[in-house]
Amino acid sequence: MYAQFFGTFLLSHNIVTKDQLLSALGKKSSQHMKLGTLAIMKGYMTANEVDNVIISQTHNDCRFGDLAVREGYLTQEQVDELVKTQYPDFLLLGQTLVEEGYINNAQLETLITDYESENEITDLDYCNEKQDDLDRILANFFHTTDVAADEYNTSYMRLLFNDLTRFIGNDFTPLCFNPCKEYPVNYCVSQTIHGDLSAKVYLDMPETTCISFASRYVNEEFTEFDEYVQASLEDFLNLHNGLYNVNISNTLGKELTLEAPEVVSDELIELSGSSYLLQVMYPFGVINFIFELKK
């Protein structure tokens, strides 16, 4: 999830626009990691040195690594190491933003450092995202609210982003997680959780977004907003919350219960207690989760 939250980081610091980020997310999967980007990440080359080699490539029919060694920027041993380096997904997103002209290599160099520093990400295992690193990112995500970054809340959000990745796709960026007192409904389903974590969870999106969401979820192309699309939203919410209940039972030994999902008929939801809106941006639209926490 490093790439998804790197997008959140970029948006929160006004580095790119939502449209620019969406464009890069859509093209990232077709990109191949470049040696120069890896050299910046590892601190073997500066952005300026990488740019110099790229310029030299326009006059020489040579590979980046060969030119970097010739210019004295890298040793052959470093080139061999970089070729085998595992890299985090957010680095490929950063490279795509450079390729699209939205940022340059100098900005990417600074952004990598700032992103890791802000989220206390050190000694990254680029093959496997560390839960501790992800939990720190999630804790930062809660900072605009009074939501405690405890095991209940962190586990819920961690699973939610994993389920979105697994069932809908990884080309998303969380936009915000802010307090919410009322919410105007598009098409909305809800489900109530009872137990030590007592909450009502809403999933809302416009009908056109519902169609794309359901198409991805069941891997079938829907063209109209019908009962199958509606049922897909209910099924996703029920599946996610059910998996969460199992996780809490296994990790904390606490039993939570679920009511059946239901369609929200109100045009405006009046929220009580501590309630929060999470918006998640996909190329096909924004999906909205509202969490109404009960005492």
Side-chain angles (χ1 to χ4, degrees):
M1 291 190 290
Y2 290 137
Q4 286 73 33
F5 282 95
F6 185 56
T8 308
F9 169 82
L10 295 174
L11 289 175
S12 67
H13 289 78
N14 299 314
I15 305 299
V16 296
T17 66
K18 291 180 183 179
D19 288 342
Q20 290 171 337
L21 181 60
L22 274 177
S23 175
L25 286 170
K27 296 175 181 178
K28 178 172 68 70
S29 61
S30 63
Q31 293 285 320
H32 298 284
M33 181 54 63
K34 295 185 176 181
L35 205 66
T37 306
L38 289 171
I40 291 174
M41 179 198 73
K42 296 288 285 186
Y44 292 163
M45 295 178 67
T46 66
N48 186 57
E49 290 170 343
V50 169
D51 288 338
N52 287 341
V53 173
I54 292 173
I55 293 172
S56 295
Q57 282 187 294
T58 64
H59 306 291
N60 298 274
D61 185 21
C62 293
R63 294 179 299 180
F64 182 95
D66 294 337
L67 279 175
V69 171
R70 182 189 304 175
E71 296 294 328
Y73 295 135
L74 293 174
T75 66
Q76 187 59 52
E77 289 75 16
Q78 288 173 324
V79 171
D80 294 340
E81 177 193 340
L82 290 174
V83 169
K84 301 174 183 178
T85 296
Q86 299 291 331
Y87 56 87
D89 202 30
F90 80 83
L91 191 64
L92 190 57
L93 174 58
Q95 178 182 285
T96 306
L97 290 166
V98 173
E99 292 292 310
E100 293 300 301
Y102 300 141
I103 61 174
N104 56 43
N105 275 320
Q107 289 174 293
L108 179 59
E109 183 178 26
T110 300
L111 289 168
I112 291 171
T113 301
D114 290 348
Y115 179 57
E116 293 182 355
S117 175
E118 182 172 302
N119 293 288
E120 301 178 43
I121 302 172
T122 58
D123 191 26
L124 284 177
D125 177 354
Y126 294 131
C127 297
N128 300 291
E129 296 179 339
K130 296 179 182 178
Q131 181 170 307
D132 287 347
D133 291 333
L134 294 175
D135 286 351
R136 279 195 296 271
I137 293 174
L138 289 172
N140 286 340
F141 198 57
F142 291 143
H143 82 279
T144 57
T145 74
D146 58 359
V147 174
D150 59 21
E151 182 62 25
Y152 284 106
N153 296 323
T154 302
S155 177
Y156 191 94
M157 299 302 287
R158 186 194 311 127
L159 178 64
L160 177 60
F161 292 126
N162 282 333
D163 283 346
L164 286 172
T165 298
R166 178 183 177 187
F167 296 112
I168 309 301
N170 66 359
D171 52 340
F172 69 85
T173 294
L175 295 181
C176 70
F177 188 66
N178 292 322
C180 182
K181 295 303 181 185
E182 60 182 24
Y183 180 84
V185 171
N186 295 285
Y187 179 78
C188 185
V189 296
S190 69
Q191 187 169 38
T192 300
I193 303 171
H194 296 289
D196 283 1
L197 174 70
S198 183
K200 190 170 186 177
V201 183
Y202 302 83
L203 172 59
D204 175 90
M205 63 192 84
E207 291 184 3
T208 53
T209 305
C210 289
I211 295 170
S212 298
F213 182 94
S215 296
R216 287 190 175 202
Y217 180 57
V218 303
N219 197 27
E220 179 180 337
E221 192 63 32
F222 293 111
T223 58
E224 59 182 26
F225 182 74
D226 56 21
E227 65 272 17
Y228 299 107
V229 169
Q230 296 169 25
S232 296
L233 268 67
E234 295 179 34
D235 191 69
F236 173 85
L237 189 61
N238 189 58
L239 173 63
H240 166 69
N241 286 331
L243 290 173
Y244 173 70
N245 285 13
V246 171
N247 284 354
I248 292 299
S249 176
N250 290 339
T251 58
L252 299 181
K254 301 290 186 178
E255 297 300 326
L256 304 175
T257 59
L258 290 175
E259 294 185 11
E262 59 183 9
V263 177
V264 177
S265 58
D266 299 330
E267 294 184 357
L268 182 71
I269 303 172
E270 298 284 352
L271 299 162
S272 59
S274 299
S275 301
Y276 305 91
L277 169 65
L278 167 65
Q279 293 185 300
V280 179
M281 178 178 67
Y282 273 98
F284 58 81
V286 174
I287 62 178
N288 303 285
F289 293 92
I290 303 98
F291 307 96
E292 187 176 16
L293 305 181
K294 310 292 186 180
K295 298 298 183 181

